[in-house]
Amino acid sequence: MAIRSAVTISLVPEARGGPFVFWDDLAGACRKASELGFDAVEIFPPGPDEVDPVALRTLLAGHGLALAAVGTGAGWVKHRLNLVHPESSVRSRARDFIRAIIDFAGPFQAPAIIGSMQGRSGDGVDAATAAGYLADALEELGEHAKNYGVPLVYEPLNRYETNMANTVEAGMVILRSLSTRNVVLLADLFHMNIEEANLPAAIRAGRGAIGHVHFVDSNRRPAGLGHIDFAPIVAALEEIEYQGYVSAEAFPYPDPDSAAERTMQAFRQYFRNDGA
Ligand code: LER
Ligand code: MN
């Protein structure tokens, strides 16, 4: 299948040690991503106001890159906000943070991603109440993203990071319960490798719901440096006629440039290039 490739860039010092290929130097990362042949970058910014949109537009255009998506996780990492927090003021600040990221990303035709901002039930909020809070937030923010003609991306995470949705199927149950149709799922192969019984089968079952992919190996190293069998996963993406980005969200192992290069090698190995 043809691929729309992307690579992650973190601009959040507090997220150091996290699964992002490039770090801190947005311009340098864009240059390298472009040199290696990526179509787009996925940015993890410290907040909605910390990247100048005019400068970003110039930078992306100069390198022939698109913006694939923008992460919202700094709301959790930096400010300890999440959508199911027991305190309503914290929940509402979490929504404000994500809404502002949607407003930043939307004009680039890029969706915002809700990963760690989904929080977890437990500490003062029972599972049903937390599910209700999350659904309400996805309704509102999903509809808000419509203003830009982009979806909102919701990411099931492994059990050590959330108990809201750990699998593609659990994510689909949430999506089906919503009245908005503007929320899609992020299939992160690292989380899926922990939680799914069968990765290609989970992807096939996610037809129509999966809108973004984090492409990474079992140990969260770049594709090819762990034990995930990528060929049947790519075949499953092809079978469901997946049209979204395949984005490298992996540790910068052994270093950012090598991680990006290794991912590009895997993309060339597994995906057809239409010469686009
Ligand atoms: C973010 O995309 C993700 O996968 C989570 O594990 C938060 O780091
Ligand atoms: Mn991810």
Side-chain angles (χ1 to χ4, degrees), residues 3 6 186-190 213-217 221-224 230 233-234 237 245-250 263 266-267 270-271:
I3 179 177
L186 198 169
D188 180 322
L189 303 181
F190 167 74
V213 170
H214 280 160
F215 201 80
V216 56
D217 221 317
R221 289 179 180 178
F230 288 98
I233 289 171
V234 173
L237 289 170
Y245 279 101
V246 181
S247 185
E249 187 191 69
T263 297
F267 285 168
Y270 293 109
F271 293 89

Side-chain angles (χ1 to χ4, degrees), residues 10-227:
S10 172
L11 304 175
V12 181
E14 293 88 342
R16 200 153 291 286
F20 303 99
V21 171
F22 290 117
W23 288 84
D24 307 331
D25 174 10
L26 181 59
C30 286
R31 186 182 345 103
K32 190 70 192 177
S34 168
E35 273 170 25
L36 290 173
F38 285 94
D39 299 313
V41 291
E42 177 179 325
I43 297 179
F44 188 72
D49 304 317
E50 313 212 22
V51 176
D52 173 9
V54 176
L56 179 60
R57 201 169 285 285
T58 306
L59 183 63
L60 294 173
H63 290 296
L65 292 166
L67 186 60
V70 179
T72 64
W76 166 247
V77 174
K78 279 179 74 86
H79 307 292
R80 293 291 160 206
L81 305 175
N82 75 64
L83 295 171
V84 305
H85 195 279
E87 285 170 44
S88 74
S89 64
V90 176
R91 294 197 300 277
S92 102
R93 281 168 56 219
R95 277 199 211 194
D96 292 346
F97 189 92
I98 295 167
R99 198 181 307 103
I101 297 265
I102 293 170
D103 292 334
F104 167 75
F108 291 90
Q109 290 298 292
I113 298 171
I114 296 181
S116 50
M117 284 292 273
Q118 69 193 278
R120 55 164 66 233
S121 69
D123 316 323
V125 181
D126 64 59
T129 305
Y133 290 156
L134 179 61
D136 285 352
L138 292 175
E139 292 281 13
E140 184 210 315
L141 297 166
E143 284 299 295
H144 185 66
K146 262 193 187 166
N147 293 322
Y148 302 98
V150 296
L152 174 68
V153 179
Y154 170 70
E155 180 174 22
L157 304 174
N158 75 71
R159 68 191 68 184
Y160 307 106
E161 296 186 37
T162 191
N163 53 15
M164 303 306 295
N166 300 131
T167 59
V168 170
E169 173 56 25
M172 289 176 80
V173 168
I174 295 177
L175 263 49
R176 277 188 223 113
S177 77
L178 305 176
S179 55
T180 180
R181 299 267 65 87
N182 202 41
V183 183
V184 296
L185 295 182
L186 198 169
D188 180 322
L189 303 181
F190 167 74
H191 298 300
M192 291 177 70
N193 178 63
I194 294 170
E195 298 293 347
E196 305 285 355
N198 179 317
L199 275 69
I203 287 169
R204 284 195 295 272
R207 180 189 281 269
I210 297 175
H212 197 77
V213 170
H214 280 160
F215 201 80
V216 56
D217 221 317
S218 51
N219 46 12
R220 230 170 194 183
R221 289 179 180 178
L225 300 181
H227 59 71

